[in-house]
Amino acid sequence: MKLPARSRRPARPQSDGKREQIAAAALRVMLQKGVFDITTRKIAAEAEISVATLHYHFNDKEEIIFSVMENFVSQYRSRLNDALGDSTDLPQRIEVLIHFVCSEIRRAPAEQILLQEMSLYMLRHPEGQDLARAKDEHFQDLYASAFSQLVEDTPEAQQKLRALSNLIYTSLVGLFNQWLATQDDPLFARSADNLIIAAKAFAAAQGLSR
């Protein structure tokens, strides 16, 4: 997951783990206070460094937020790959993916809320809109990568795969918001099962299985 070019800073030599330290501190602050109320001063205080040191490693708060998001996605990808295992069946992978995301929502709802807040924050700031788009595209890419080896490597098949990933991604966002509002676990489970049925039917109708 890469920052848009205009927001990317070349890596500092001899960082000595400072970027990771700052990103970890930012995550703790955001989980406590939300995205909209954090400042670089609060992040620096949590990281026990000066504001000048923070700005040596990051341009601004938006770049720190994106770094936290990158860490989220990297860990998410690793857990998803473990969940998928060696399955070579597309319908099974669809089911595993959706169940995995639902389990992540239940495991750490505060982190999922934070991801939503990050998107809203970026969309409210003109300089962050490219970051919001990059985050959205990356999650769809992540879902598509779970299926890519099971689909023909042709432009038409890849376009259909992208549509399947978009269906799953946007539906899961809706399921998450509904669950947050209702805390209705049985409804959440039924909705997830319905999404699995719909996604499998879409994949079959598009002829996506090799």
Side-chain angles (χ1 to χ4, degrees):
M1 187 176 188
K2 299 297 184 184
L3 283 164
R6 68 179 178 82
S7 303
R8 195 182 305 136
R9 158 172 282 180
R12 291 287 192 182
Q14 299 178 342
S15 174
D16 295 329
K18 277 290 191 294
R19 282 180 65 90
E20 293 77 9
Q21 178 184 345
I22 293 166
L27 174 59
R28 293 193 297 272
V29 174
M30 286 190 284
L31 285 172
Q32 294 171 3
K33 302 181 181 299
V35 176
F36 287 89
D37 291 335
I38 67 166
T39 63
T40 53
R41 189 172 298 278
K42 290 177 181 177
I43 295 170
E46 178 69 23
E48 299 182 341
I49 59 173
S50 68
V51 175
T53 298
L54 182 148
H55 283 294
Y56 177 83
H57 294 281
F58 289 95
N59 286 317
D60 48 34
K61 182 172 73 172
E62 285 70 34
E63 189 181 354
I64 299 173
I65 291 172
F66 201 83
S67 179
V68 172
M69 192 180 295
E70 284 185 308
N71 292 341
F72 265 130
V73 172
S74 176
Q75 295 169 17
Y76 196 84
R77 180 185 293 276
S78 177
R79 292 194 296 271
L80 174 58
N81 287 338
D82 289 343
L84 290 171
D86 298 324
S87 170
T88 58
D89 179 73
L90 180 59
Q92 182 182 4
R93 283 209 159 204
I94 289 172
E95 187 168 346
V96 171
L97 170 64
I98 293 172
H99 280 154
F100 166 79
V101 176
C102 291
S103 69
E104 287 290 296
I105 290 171
R106 289 195 179 100
R107 180 188 66 82
E111 292 182 1
Q112 302 299 320
I113 292 172
L114 182 56
L115 281 171
Q116 296 273 47
E117 285 186 357
M118 287 177 180
S119 293
L120 292 173
Y121 175 86
M122 291 171 183
L123 289 171
R124 286 184 177 275
H125 293 75
E127 68 276 12
Q129 290 182 359
D130 288 346
L131 304 183
R133 187 179 302 109
K135 175 252 183 180
D136 187 79
E137 290 175 352
H138 189 78
F139 269 97
Q140 292 194 50
D141 288 344
L142 179 62
Y143 293 171
S145 70
F147 312 132
S148 59
Q149 294 180 348
L150 308 179
V151 175
E152 292 181 358
D153 189 17
T154 65
E156 181 182 4
Q158 293 302 312
Q159 184 177 14
K160 292 177 179 179
L161 177 60
R162 189 72 180 183
L164 172 63
S165 301
N166 182 66
L167 169 66
I168 294 173
Y169 173 71
T170 55
S171 298
L172 285 169
V173 170
L175 290 185
F176 171 59
N177 288 334
Q178 182 186 57
W179 180 75
L180 279 180
T182 65
Q183 295 293 301
D184 189 331
D185 286 331
L187 175 61
F188 186 57
R190 290 195 303 273
S191 298
D193 288 341
N194 288 336
L195 174 56
I196 290 169
I197 293 169
K200 287 180 178 180
F202 180 87
Q206 297 297 316
L208 278 174
S209 297
R210 280 183 173 175

